[in-house]
Amino acid sequence: MPRDIVFTRNNGWIPTVVREDGELKLMLGAGADANHDPRTFTFPIGEPHRAVIERDLARHLLLWSAVLPLCDAAGTLGALDEDAAVALLDPVLLSGPADVDALFRRIPWDRSRLVAHGADIALLERGEVCAAMNTATETSDAKRAQTYHADRRCAERGTVLAPLDAALLKYTGQYLHGATIPRRLPDAVDPALLPEVMRVIATAEQAGAGMRIGRDPRKGKRATDKRDWQRMEAAVGAAVRRAHPGLAEEAVRTVSFLICSEAARRAREAPVEEGEEPGTGPGTSAGSGRKTALSFTDDKGGEKKWFLTGPRSAPADFWEFVAERSAPDNEVFTIEDETLGEGIQLHFYADSVARVTTVRKGRGGSDPEYRVEYGLVDGMAGYRKVVGAFARGGCAALDPYGPWMSDVTEFERARRRRRDA
């Protein structure tokens, strides 16, 4: 269908007046189709409407704001409700300011477009949309609209941000988009507030300096330990609150989030051996129970052999095996010294471990006799200690990490007590 442009503004997103087969129409891009490409909508207008659109930027933008919700309602495949769009033309373009204001109190409309194009926010909030558009511009400022929505979200939550609170959120990049991973953006902060922002950041850095967030191979190769995160978050938050008691909770949280995120990133980027228990790496002098060969297995038939002559420590190789194999239906892993007949079994679903020692080897077709003892583990840090101790000294080295219980009923009671606590 032939289409001629009758009137357009420098900003190509503002609706354009076109003529199709001799009929005037307003054309605008809005929403997206199933392939995420922009959709284009048109609906008929009259000559009086065209005249107002050409001479009055404010009314043009108001009409755009009022029509956009209809485009959103059309979705990815639906047709624009042309009757509803046409019904907006006279009230928006040809009515007096008081009637336009009254209309906008009754219909849905897109605030962000008007704010981005320079509308007076205070007047918009009071419902004086026509007066608010006296400052409208043809150019758009998307960041102004983002800031406006961020302020509205805070107000809806009942949060009042002081200048320093807002500056901290801007420094971490979380003022406009609270769900983003925090970064350090000093250029986003008012230079007058930057020194104070950096004092808060320094407090947080000092509080987290002696702490780390380790990996959690139970959740995959790049996962980090949730408990480590929570401990660091609590410590950093407490230090910031003590040193800067006037800060809003959102500001404290964004600073804690920044420090924890950076620690987690360092953990993901560090070599696997980093952060192991002392004395577990290659080259450590062997004690009486020092392991020279181990077998790692899981509940799905996976197996891996480790030898002391290899390039990495037993814990490093074992946790890599876990990271590659662990899954919601694969949460039991075993480390076994076949030569000495002892091993440990880790139950990730229950924060527990079993140590297994051979009491009597099988002879003449009889089954061997084993002693099985159960112990509770305090998260990933506890598992690392148990694995490192076993690699250094076998089951005998695990005594300090008890109590160990051979009675299954007693063990289950202990598990329930800890869960209830």
Side-chain angles (χ1 to χ4, degrees):
M1 181 181 296
R3 177 184 291 164
D4 298 319
I5 295 176
V6 175
F7 174 75
T8 187
R9 295 190 182 275
N10 291 331
N11 184 328
W13 283 104
I14 301 176
T16 297
V17 179
V18 298
R19 194 181 300 275
E20 288 183 350
D21 289 343
E23 184 180 16
L24 283 176
K25 292 187 176 183
L26 195 67
M27 180 178 72
L28 69 157
D33 61 19
N35 296 320
H36 306 291
D37 294 323
R39 296 197 67 190
T40 299
F41 299 94
T42 62
F43 61 95
I45 64 173
E47 192 62 36
H49 307 130
R50 179 203 60 77
V52 174
I53 287 171
E54 288 191 17
R55 72 171 184 267
D56 194 332
L57 171 64
R59 292 297 180 107
H60 192 178
L61 294 173
L62 286 170
L63 178 62
W64 186 23
S65 172
V67 172
L68 279 171
L70 299 177
C71 299
D72 292 339
T76 59
L77 297 172
L80 177 70
D81 186 342
E82 286 193 9
D83 291 340
V86 170
L88 291 169
L89 292 171
D90 286 357
V92 175
L93 298 177
L94 305 180
S95 298
D99 291 332
V100 174
D101 291 349
L103 173 70
F104 273 67
R105 286 193 288 270
R106 298 195 306 270
I107 64 170
W109 49 286
D110 191 314
R111 287 174 188 267
S112 63
R113 302 290 174 172
L114 303 185
V115 172
H117 282 270
D120 184 298
I121 292 174
L123 292 174
L124 276 186
E125 293 293 327
R126 291 204 297 267
E128 300 175 34
V129 293
C130 285
M133 298 307 292
N134 288 336
T135 55
T137 60
E138 199 165 306
T139 56
S140 173
D141 183 351
K143 183 167 285 189
R144 185 173 190 256
Q146 291 172 342
T147 301
Y148 169 71
H149 281 294
D151 292 339
R152 279 180 64 87
R153 286 195 297 271
C154 285
E156 288 167 359
R157 292 193 299 270
T159 302
V160 178
L161 296 178
L164 179 57
D165 299 321
L168 286 163
L169 288 163
K170 290 175 182 177
Y171 179 85
T172 63
Q174 296 224 303
Y175 186 75
L176 300 182
H177 305 290
T180 58
I181 296 174
R183 297 170 291 160
R184 295 181 182 240
L185 303 170
D187 291 343
V189 179
D190 182 343
L193 286 170
L194 187 57
E196 201 169 352
V197 166
M198 297 313 299
R199 282 193 289 272
V200 177
I201 299 299
T203 299
E205 289 172 335
Q206 186 175 2
M211 308 180 74
R212 63 183 294 276
I213 294 178
R215 297 193 198 185
D216 189 346
R218 300 172 298 175
K219 306 291 175 51
K221 287 188 174 183
R222 293 185 58 79
T224 51
D225 191 337
K226 182 179 179 181
R227 293 192 186 187
D228 283 351
W229 180 296
Q230 290 171 337
R231 280 190 286 267
M232 180 178 282
E233 182 180 45
V236 171
V240 170
R241 289 184 190 95
R242 278 195 307 271
H244 310 275
L247 289 179
E249 272 304 303
E250 286 198 28
V252 175
R253 280 196 298 270
T254 198
V255 173
S256 299
F257 193 11
L258 172 69
I259 301 302
C260 292
S261 294
E262 292 177 340
R265 185 179 67 248
R266 289 193 295 271
R268 285 191 290 266
E269 294 172 352
V272 174
E273 283 83 0
E274 184 174 312
E276 290 174 7
E277 287 294 298
T280 62
T284 306
S285 58
S288 60
R290 172 75 172 177
K291 299 303 182 184
T292 58
L294 293 170
S295 176
F296 310 145
T297 58
D298 64 12
D299 243 8
K300 297 292 183 180
E303 184 173 7
K304 183 177 183 178
K305 299 290 186 181
W306 172 85
F307 299 96
L308 182 62
T309 54
R312 295 196 303 177
S313 68
D317 257 12
F318 173 71
W319 290 121
E320 180 180 65
F321 177 68
V322 171
E324 291 172 348
R325 302 280 302 173
S326 184
D329 62 345
N330 193 26
E331 296 186 288
V332 177
F333 285 76
T334 301
I335 308 176
E336 185 177 1
D337 183 334
E338 296 173 349
T339 302
L340 295 182
E342 63 177 4
I344 53 174
Q345 188 176 71
L346 283 61
H347 315 124
F348 294 148
Y349 62 89
D351 271 357
S352 65
V353 62
R355 65 175 179 177
V356 182
T357 52
T358 302
V359 176
R360 181 180 57 80
K361 295 183 179 180
R363 292 186 178 89
S366 65
D367 292 333
E369 181 182 345
Y370 299 104
R371 180 171 66 249
V372 181
E373 300 167 290
Y374 301 92
L376 299 173
V377 177
D378 183 17
M380 191 61 215
Y383 280 122
R384 285 192 184 279
K385 290 176 182 177
V386 168
V387 170
F390 181 78
R392 291 193 302 276
C395 282
L398 299 177
D399 286 343
Y401 301 103
W404 297 95
M405 293 159 272
S406 56
D407 185 281
V408 175
T409 302
E410 178 188 0
F411 172 65
E412 287 300 329
R413 280 199 298 266
R415 274 186 60 198
R416 284 196 296 271
R417 284 196 298 271
R418 183 175 67 175
R419 182 195 61 201
D420 294 342

